[in-house]
Amino acid sequence: CPGSPAAPLAFTMLQLTRVYEGNSMFRGNASLNGQLSHVLEGNNVTQVIPLESPDAWARRQEEVIAYLGTFRQLVKLFNKERRTDFTHHLCCHLGCRLYPNGTAQSFYEVTLNRTAFLSFHVPSATWERRWPGELPVAAFAQEQLMKYPITTQDLQYFLNTTCVSLLQAQSARTGPVSGRSRTPLVLGLVLGSLGLLGMALGIFLCTGGSC
């Protein structure tokens, strides 16, 4: 629910991925200042609040659906190389907050099987391991995520600039969210999804404790 006037504005995204026997299932959502803005269910991503024009939104949908298809194919490939007979649950929680004094805070947190796994340190654009104790999967996933600009500099830009600018624009407006905004909000869903690529590599190639 929207908070008090003194509370920070927030844009948050949650993506849940369930992987089992070479199959992947996706669900998630995004919210802007307490209002549900996007929903991800299976291969379908919908815009609940008209934050983008129909043409722009159609392009964003294609990007997300294409990524999800690629992710599914990678999981099937990894499962053939090293089969796993148990279920993995990945959760990505990311977004930003804008405080009344003008300061902002961005975050990206990942859990694996409901345990803290990795987090993204936004100021330095680096991934940090959160798993308690040593785990080759976490080390391998961290290494993979650090290799690509889309999961480092691009993600940092989205969280620090795109996300915060959206909240600054929302703070300057009065009344409900309008359809005039053209900020590519779903870019965050795409970047959050792409961040799972490195983790998929770690989980499926390093299962069993060795890479």
PDB file of all heavy atoms in Angstrom, residues 151-165:
ATOM      1  N   THR A 151      25.051  -7.273 -17.237  1.00  0.00           N
ATOM      2  CA  THR A 151      24.797  -7.637 -15.843  1.00  0.00           C
ATOM      3  C   THR A 151      25.697  -6.870 -14.878  1.00  0.00           C
ATOM      4  O   THR A 151      25.733  -7.180 -13.687  1.00  0.00           O
ATOM      5  CB  THR A 151      24.991  -9.156 -15.630  1.00  0.00           C
ATOM      6  OG1 THR A 151      26.254  -9.551 -16.160  1.00  0.00           O
ATOM      7  CG2 THR A 151      23.885  -9.936 -16.319  1.00  0.00           C
ATOM      8  N   THR A 152      26.408  -5.868 -15.376  1.00  0.00           N
ATOM      9  CA  THR A 152      27.220  -5.014 -14.498  1.00  0.00           C
ATOM     10  C   THR A 152      26.891  -3.538 -14.780  1.00  0.00           C
ATOM     11  O   THR A 152      26.022  -2.964 -14.137  1.00  0.00           O
ATOM     12  CB  THR A 152      28.724  -5.289 -14.684  1.00  0.00           C
ATOM     13  OG1 THR A 152      29.063  -5.214 -16.086  1.00  0.00           O
ATOM     14  CG2 THR A 152      29.102  -6.663 -14.154  1.00  0.00           C
ATOM     15  N   GLN A 153      27.550  -2.921 -15.801  1.00  0.00           N
ATOM     16  CA  GLN A 153      27.337  -1.508 -16.061  1.00  0.00           C
ATOM     17  C   GLN A 153      25.905  -1.181 -16.476  1.00  0.00           C
ATOM     18  O   GLN A 153      25.324  -0.184 -16.031  1.00  0.00           O
ATOM     19  CB  GLN A 153      28.305  -0.998 -17.146  1.00  0.00           C
ATOM     20  CG  GLN A 153      29.752  -0.944 -16.708  1.00  0.00           C
ATOM     21  CD  GLN A 153      30.497  -2.215 -17.089  1.00  0.00           C
ATOM     22  OE1 GLN A 153      29.887  -3.252 -17.359  1.00  0.00           O
ATOM     23  NE2 GLN A 153      31.819  -2.128 -17.126  1.00  0.00           N
ATOM     24  N   ASP A 154      25.318  -2.016 -17.341  1.00  0.00           N
ATOM     25  CA  ASP A 154      23.949  -1.747 -17.786  1.00  0.00           C
ATOM     26  C   ASP A 154      22.955  -1.856 -16.631  1.00  0.00           C
ATOM     27  O   ASP A 154      22.028  -1.056 -16.508  1.00  0.00           O
ATOM     28  CB  ASP A 154      23.538  -2.717 -18.896  1.00  0.00           C
ATOM     29  CG  ASP A 154      24.282  -2.469 -20.196  1.00  0.00           C
ATOM     30  OD1 ASP A 154      25.126  -1.548 -20.232  1.00  0.00           O
ATOM     31  OD2 ASP A 154      24.027  -3.191 -21.171  1.00  0.00           O
ATOM     32  N   LEU A 155      23.166  -2.840 -15.792  1.00  0.00           N
ATOM     33  CA  LEU A 155      22.281  -3.014 -14.639  1.00  0.00           C
ATOM     34  C   LEU A 155      22.463  -1.857 -13.658  1.00  0.00           C
ATOM     35  O   LEU A 155      21.491  -1.340 -13.101  1.00  0.00           O
ATOM     36  CB  LEU A 155      22.581  -4.346 -13.957  1.00  0.00           C
ATOM     37  CG  LEU A 155      21.684  -4.732 -12.782  1.00  0.00           C
ATOM     38  CD1 LEU A 155      20.217  -4.743 -13.200  1.00  0.00           C
ATOM     39  CD2 LEU A 155      22.088  -6.091 -12.236  1.00  0.00           C
ATOM     40  N   GLN A 156      23.705  -1.422 -13.454  1.00  0.00           N
ATOM     41  CA  GLN A 156      23.974  -0.278 -12.583  1.00  0.00           C
ATOM     42  C   GLN A 156      23.262   0.973 -13.109  1.00  0.00           C
ATOM     43  O   GLN A 156      22.647   1.723 -12.333  1.00  0.00           O
ATOM     44  CB  GLN A 156      25.478  -0.025 -12.512  1.00  0.00           C
ATOM     45  CG  GLN A 156      25.872   1.156 -11.634  1.00  0.00           C
ATOM     46  CD  GLN A 156      27.336   1.523 -11.804  1.00  0.00           C
ATOM     47  OE1 GLN A 156      27.800   1.708 -12.926  1.00  0.00           O
ATOM     48  NE2 GLN A 156      28.058   1.624 -10.706  1.00  0.00           N
ATOM     49  N   TYR A 157      23.318   1.186 -14.432  1.00  0.00           N
ATOM     50  CA  TYR A 157      22.670   2.356 -15.029  1.00  0.00           C
ATOM     51  C   TYR A 157      21.163   2.289 -14.835  1.00  0.00           C
ATOM     52  O   TYR A 157      20.522   3.289 -14.508  1.00  0.00           O
ATOM     53  CB  TYR A 157      23.009   2.446 -16.524  1.00  0.00           C
ATOM     54  CG  TYR A 157      22.423   3.669 -17.186  1.00  0.00           C
ATOM     55  CD1 TYR A 157      23.114   4.884 -17.176  1.00  0.00           C
ATOM     56  CD2 TYR A 157      21.176   3.622 -17.809  1.00  0.00           C
ATOM     57  CE1 TYR A 157      22.585   6.013 -17.763  1.00  0.00           C
ATOM     58  CE2 TYR A 157      20.626   4.750 -18.395  1.00  0.00           C
ATOM     59  CZ  TYR A 157      21.342   5.940 -18.381  1.00  0.00           C
ATOM     60  OH  TYR A 157      20.798   7.058 -18.960  1.00  0.00           O
ATOM     61  N   PHE A 158      20.593   1.117 -15.050  1.00  0.00           N
ATOM     62  CA  PHE A 158      19.147   0.995 -14.869  1.00  0.00           C
ATOM     63  C   PHE A 158      18.742   1.326 -13.441  1.00  0.00           C
ATOM     64  O   PHE A 158      17.796   2.089 -13.200  1.00  0.00           O
ATOM     65  CB  PHE A 158      18.667  -0.412 -15.226  1.00  0.00           C
ATOM     66  CG  PHE A 158      17.220  -0.623 -14.870  1.00  0.00           C
ATOM     67  CD1 PHE A 158      16.222  -0.095 -15.657  1.00  0.00           C
ATOM     68  CD2 PHE A 158      16.878  -1.317 -13.720  1.00  0.00           C
ATOM     69  CE1 PHE A 158      14.879  -0.247 -15.309  1.00  0.00           C
ATOM     70  CE2 PHE A 158      15.549  -1.483 -13.370  1.00  0.00           C
ATOM     71  CZ  PHE A 158      14.547  -0.950 -14.165  1.00  0.00           C
ATOM     72  N   LEU A 159      19.448   0.753 -12.465  1.00  0.00           N
ATOM     73  CA  LEU A 159      19.072   0.936 -11.069  1.00  0.00           C
ATOM     74  C   LEU A 159      19.337   2.357 -10.578  1.00  0.00           C
ATOM     75  O   LEU A 159      18.526   2.934  -9.854  1.00  0.00           O
ATOM     76  CB  LEU A 159      19.804  -0.073 -10.190  1.00  0.00           C
ATOM     77  CG  LEU A 159      19.407  -1.532 -10.390  1.00  0.00           C
ATOM     78  CD1 LEU A 159      20.361  -2.456  -9.641  1.00  0.00           C
ATOM     79  CD2 LEU A 159      17.972  -1.777  -9.936  1.00  0.00           C
ATOM     80  N   ASN A 160      20.472   2.942 -10.980  1.00  0.00           N
ATOM     81  CA  ASN A 160      20.855   4.256 -10.481  1.00  0.00           C
ATOM     82  C   ASN A 160      20.215   5.405 -11.246  1.00  0.00           C
ATOM     83  O   ASN A 160      20.013   6.476 -10.691  1.00  0.00           O
ATOM     84  CB  ASN A 160      22.378   4.420 -10.545  1.00  0.00           C
ATOM     85  CG  ASN A 160      23.052   4.063  -9.239  1.00  0.00           C
ATOM     86  OD1 ASN A 160      22.387   3.864  -8.228  1.00  0.00           O
ATOM     87  ND2 ASN A 160      24.366   3.972  -9.259  1.00  0.00           N
ATOM     88  N   THR A 161      19.946   5.197 -12.537  1.00  0.00           N
ATOM     89  CA  THR A 161      19.505   6.298 -13.391  1.00  0.00           C
ATOM     90  C   THR A 161      18.068   6.134 -13.872  1.00  0.00           C
ATOM     91  O   THR A 161      17.203   6.951 -13.568  1.00  0.00           O
ATOM     92  CB  THR A 161      20.449   6.451 -14.593  1.00  0.00           C
ATOM     93  OG1 THR A 161      21.786   6.625 -14.115  1.00  0.00           O
ATOM     94  CG2 THR A 161      20.059   7.651 -15.442  1.00  0.00           C
ATOM     95  N   THR A 162      17.805   5.067 -14.621  1.00  0.00           N
ATOM     96  CA  THR A 162      16.465   4.875 -15.169  1.00  0.00           C
ATOM     97  C   THR A 162      15.429   4.751 -14.061  1.00  0.00           C
ATOM     98  O   THR A 162      14.392   5.414 -14.079  1.00  0.00           O
ATOM     99  CB  THR A 162      16.422   3.638 -16.071  1.00  0.00           C
ATOM    100  OG1 THR A 162      17.438   3.745 -17.061  1.00  0.00           O
ATOM    101  CG2 THR A 162      15.069   3.500 -16.747  1.00  0.00           C
ATOM    102  N   CYS A 163      15.713   3.898 -13.108  1.00  0.00           N
ATOM    103  CA  CYS A 163      14.765   3.644 -12.022  1.00  0.00           C
ATOM    104  C   CYS A 163      14.540   4.903 -11.180  1.00  0.00           C
ATOM    105  O   CYS A 163      13.398   5.292 -10.904  1.00  0.00           O
ATOM    106  CB  CYS A 163      15.287   2.503 -11.159  1.00  0.00           C
ATOM    107  SG  CYS A 163      14.136   1.916  -9.901  1.00  0.00           S
ATOM    108  N   VAL A 164      15.627   5.567 -10.793  1.00  0.00           N
ATOM    109  CA  VAL A 164      15.508   6.755  -9.947  1.00  0.00           C
ATOM    110  C   VAL A 164      14.836   7.898 -10.698  1.00  0.00           C
ATOM    111  O   VAL A 164      14.009   8.632 -10.133  1.00  0.00           O
ATOM    112  CB  VAL A 164      16.894   7.173  -9.415  1.00  0.00           C
ATOM    113  CG1 VAL A 164      16.811   8.502  -8.659  1.00  0.00           C
ATOM    114  CG2 VAL A 164      17.465   6.086  -8.503  1.00  0.00           C
ATOM    115  N   SER A 165      15.143   8.051 -12.001  1.00  0.00           N
ATOM    116  CA  SER A 165      14.511   9.111 -12.794  1.00  0.00           C
ATOM    117  C   SER A 165      13.005   8.918 -12.865  1.00  0.00           C
ATOM    118  O   SER A 165      12.235   9.892 -12.851  1.00  0.00           O
ATOM    119  CB  SER A 165      15.104   9.140 -14.208  1.00  0.00           C
ATOM    120  OG  SER A 165      16.469   9.481 -14.168  1.00  0.00           O
TER     121      SER A 165
END
